[in-house]
Amino acid sequence: MNHIVQKRKRDALKKNNACDFYSPHPYGVEPQGNFYLQADAQNPRKDFGFFSALEDHTILALLDQLDVVDLVKMSVVCKIFYIFCQEEDLWKALALHHFNGNFTFRDNWHTTFIINYNANFVLPTSKPNITLPTLYSDFLFHIWRCASTPTTAWGNHLDPIENDTIPRITGLDVNEFREKYLIPNKPVILTQVMKDWPALKEWTPEKLVENYGDKEFYINSGVHMKLKSFMNYTQTVQEEMPMYLFDHDFGITAPKLGEDYKVPELFGEDFFSLLGESRPSYRWLLIGPARAGASFHKDPNFTSAWNGVLSGYKKWVMYPPSFTPPGVFPSDDGLEVATPSSIMEWFINFFSNRESSSSSSKKKVKNQNKEHDVKPLECILRPGEMIFVPCGWWHSVLNLTPSIAVTQNFCNTQNVLNVIDFLKVKLKKDLYQTFTSKLEEVYPGLLSKLTKEKQESEKRKMSFWQTLKAEKENTSVVSSDVVPTAGKFKFNFTGNKP
């Protein structure tokens, strides 16, 4: 019997093409399926009383409502509760609530809370000698899997740039960039536009701590932290959803940082600059550990963006505006997006690992009730490189290593109509009214001109059947492929006018 069970386990591992490089759970938690593969498996939940009827995520949600004293009490009720009460997210929430960013991170969130709560507490040199039952839980195991799978499953700095599917370009002038990438709305990596930035030398972890260590910056967990404390955290943390320094006021907090880089000439046109201090947030300092980053989204207000890496390596995955990434569910108006709970979860569930064949990243997934063969654009962005993120493109970014970057959004001739259309659907339309009024004041007639050009372009792109319908409705429309005539049509293969 045992050899049959072992064979089933080996076969299950072979079939799983997701990354399986995680280490064993520190408290022995295993996936639920293993319970059925173990000949002598015992179910410890039979002694869990009322709680055995609850889903694991519900149990964790209940524990999340407790203060630290009650959480410690619950951990000694039984061995299963002991395992649940060690979950990092519980102690992370307690630390952020109790210390509000004013803490020193050490090893993990449980230890961090203890040493910051009581500086005189002497940490034990070894784990408690407790014999724990094997708890079978897909929920708890998946959290650990996302926290422990190394990011090298999706690339590292040793990977050849030829593996990237986003082009890397050196020496583009403004006109070339406009014709090849800005107008077609295509992403590209720019390799030399940052070479003269002081930030390349000044924005190392060591120099940032030396110059701005006592300055407080905004962290995406809703707190402000001193930079030296956050940098310490980035070097040692291992969790599924790390904190991310994502500060749009960095130029106010530390004005010199705003002077250490210059917007490349390629992105010089920015109509939102007409709004002055009332413009929406448009630039961010980005610092985070491995596994941090950004889940799938389109940039705010339908703007385009650039993102330059000063330190570390970032994995980028991009989908064009017309295709929603697998596992991502936007609202009808595009203002809200539902995604997997963490970036790591998306990569594990929907993206192939680097050990697979080059074609294995092409997966069949269901998107909007249809099956598609999906192969996103991807790259590893390296120090000194900048990526152009076109308007409307879905993108997700995973830090492969601790990294430092700066990003800026902009609105120019190519995307301004998209921006305005998006602003119309916002619940607050004051920005739409202010922006369009200012644009008309400084560039009178521009919006009318661009709108007319867009309408003419859309007419030229009309399909065969759309052209027939337009002709039937006595609408004078000429397609690039079909030429309407009096009461009939003919194909125009030459492109010449009739």
Side-chain angles (χ1 to χ4, degrees):
M1 180 65 180
N2 282 339
H3 72 282
I4 297 177
V5 172
Q6 293 302 320
K7 183 178 184 302
R8 287 177 180 171
K9 291 174 70 175
R10 289 194 299 271
D11 290 344
L13 289 175
K14 289 178 182 177
K15 290 179 182 178
N16 186 5
N17 65 354
C19 42
D20 290 308
F21 308 118
Y22 51 84
S23 55
H25 192 283
Y27 297 98
V29 176
E30 295 187 13
Q32 183 65 39
N34 284 14
F35 175 77
Y36 304 102
L37 296 175
Q38 301 287 356
D40 57 347
Q42 301 293 319
N43 183 9
R45 294 178 186 267
K46 59 183 174 57
D47 300 322
F48 208 24
F50 163 79
F51 291 95
S52 61
L54 301 179
E55 298 284 346
D56 289 348
H57 65 86
T58 303
I59 296 173
L60 208 60
L62 291 173
L63 294 175
D64 192 45
Q65 304 303 310
L66 304 181
D67 60 24
V68 63
V69 174
D70 289 334
L71 185 62
V72 172
K73 289 179 180 178
M74 287 298 292
S75 71
V76 297
V77 168
C78 67
K79 291 181 178 180
I80 298 182
F81 264 128
Y82 177 82
I83 296 173
F84 270 95
C85 291
Q86 307 309 310
E87 275 302 305
E88 280 287 87
D89 278 351
L90 296 174
W91 294 96
K92 179 179 183 177
L94 286 171
L96 293 176
H97 175 74
H98 196 87
F99 306 116
N100 195 31
N102 186 25
F103 60 87
T104 300
F105 186 84
R106 180 170 169 181
D107 298 334
N108 55 61
W109 285 105
H110 194 169
T111 301
T112 296
F113 184 90
I114 293 173
I115 65 170
N116 285 273
Y117 187 79
N118 183 358
N120 297 320
F121 184 84
V122 179
L123 293 171
T125 56
S126 60
K127 287 186 178 180
N129 186 19
I130 304 175
T131 302
L132 296 173
T134 299
L135 178 61
Y136 299 98
S137 168
D138 287 339
F139 181 72
L140 296 183
F141 184 80
H142 188 63
I143 293 174
W144 171 251
R145 185 185 184 193
C146 291
S148 61
T149 298
T151 56
T152 50
W154 300 287
N156 60 45
H157 66 285
L158 298 177
D159 286 355
I161 60 175
E162 289 78 12
N163 289 355
D164 297 342
T165 56
I166 298 176
R168 226 176 218 90
I169 302 297
T170 300
L172 275 180
D173 63 31
V174 174
N175 290 330
E176 287 178 307
F177 173 70
R178 181 176 179 274
E179 294 299 321
K180 293 181 178 180
Y181 299 101
L182 201 58
I183 294 178
N185 210 40
K186 294 165 53 178
V188 65
I189 300 170
L190 307 166
T191 61
Q192 294 294 319
V193 293
M194 300 166 56
K195 60 184 177 66
D196 296 325
W197 284 11
L200 275 175
K201 295 181 179 179
E202 298 299 321
W203 290 21
T204 64
E206 296 77 16
K207 286 194 174 182
L208 286 178
V209 170
E210 178 184 346
N211 296 326
Y212 309 103
D214 288 324
K215 297 284 188 181
E216 291 190 350
F217 294 86
Y218 178 77
I219 313 300
N220 67 341
S221 296
V223 298
H224 286 77
M225 287 183 67
K226 289 184 177 180
L227 188 60
K228 61 183 179 184
S229 298
F230 183 76
M231 284 296 196
N232 170 68
Y233 161 84
T234 65
Q235 302 304 313
T236 57
V237 68
Q238 179 179 319
E239 60 178 325
E240 178 185 5
M241 293 182 282
M243 297 192 301
Y244 201 28
L245 192 154
F246 197 81
D247 195 309
H248 67 269
D249 285 330
F250 70 94
I252 299 174
T253 303
K256 179 65 167 56
L257 291 176
E259 301 170 2
D260 283 343
Y261 74 93
K262 182 180 180 181
V263 176
E265 185 182 9
L266 303 179
F267 309 112
E269 184 180 59
D270 185 1
F271 293 140
F272 267 148
S273 64
L274 300 176
L275 298 177
E277 295 183 359
S278 63
R279 73 177 296 173
S281 299
Y282 69 103
R283 64 176 183 174
W284 292 266
L285 173 64
L286 312 172
I287 303 177
R291 298 184 185 85
S295 58
F296 271 106
H297 66 285
K298 294 181 178 182
D299 279 328
N301 300 318
F302 235 74
T303 54
S304 301
W306 54 261
N307 185 302
V309 176
L310 285 309
S311 171
Y313 296 81
K314 291 175 172 287
K315 179 73 175 184
W316 280 72
V317 180
M318 304 183 72
Y319 287 89
S322 59
F323 188 87
T324 302
V328 176
F329 303 94
S331 61
D332 291 338
D333 59 10
L335 294 177
E336 297 181 2
V337 180
T339 64
S341 59
S342 69
I343 306 168
M344 289 293 291
E345 182 178 1
W346 187 89
F347 271 84
I348 288 174
N349 289 339
F350 297 101
F351 199 75
S352 298
N353 66 72
R354 64 193 298 263
E355 300 299 330
S356 304
S357 64
S358 58
S359 63
S360 67
S361 62
K362 196 173 185 179
K363 294 185 174 183
K364 271 194 174 182
V365 299
K366 286 188 176 181
N367 181 65
Q368 297 176 352
N369 300 318
K370 298 179 181 179
E371 278 197 338
H372 295 266
D373 286 329
V374 183
K375 192 169 184 180
L377 295 183
E378 58 180 284
C379 73
I380 296 176
L381 205 61
R382 294 158 166 81
E385 294 183 338
M386 177 181 291
I387 189 170
F388 164 56
V389 185
C391 165
W393 276 68
W394 291 100
H395 52 285
S396 179
V397 188
L398 174 69
N399 283 0
L400 300 177
T401 66
S403 74
I404 301 170
V406 63
T407 186
Q408 191 158 315
N409 293 70
F410 61 91
C411 171
N412 62 5
T413 303
Q414 273 63 51
N415 65 11
V416 64
L417 294 183
N418 292 321
V419 170
I420 289 174
D421 287 343
F422 185 80
L423 293 180
K424 286 181 183 178
V425 305
K426 299 193 84 173
L427 297 179
K428 295 182 179 180
K429 296 186 178 181
D430 54 335
L431 179 59
Y432 164 75
Q433 295 168 348
T434 302
F435 181 52
T436 53
S437 297
K438 192 68 176 179
L439 199 58
E440 185 63 27
E441 175 188 335
V442 179
Y443 298 99
L446 176 64
L447 290 181
S448 298
K449 175 176 177 291
L450 293 176
T451 300
K452 183 178 180 180
E453 291 176 352
K454 181 180 179 181
Q455 292 171 343
E456 292 175 349
S457 176
E458 289 175 347
K459 288 179 182 179
R460 289 193 296 270
K461 294 178 181 178
M462 290 177 71
S463 71
F464 171 75
W465 297 112
Q466 287 173 323
T467 305
L468 290 182
K469 183 178 179 182
E471 180 185 352
K472 185 176 181 180
E473 295 173 352
N474 296 320
T475 304
S476 178
V477 178
V478 178
S479 168
S480 59
D481 298 318
V482 180
V483 181
T485 60
K488 57 184 178 180
F489 65 88
K490 67 177 181 179
F491 289 100
N492 179 20
F493 293 104
T494 63
N496 297 326
K497 295 182 178 180

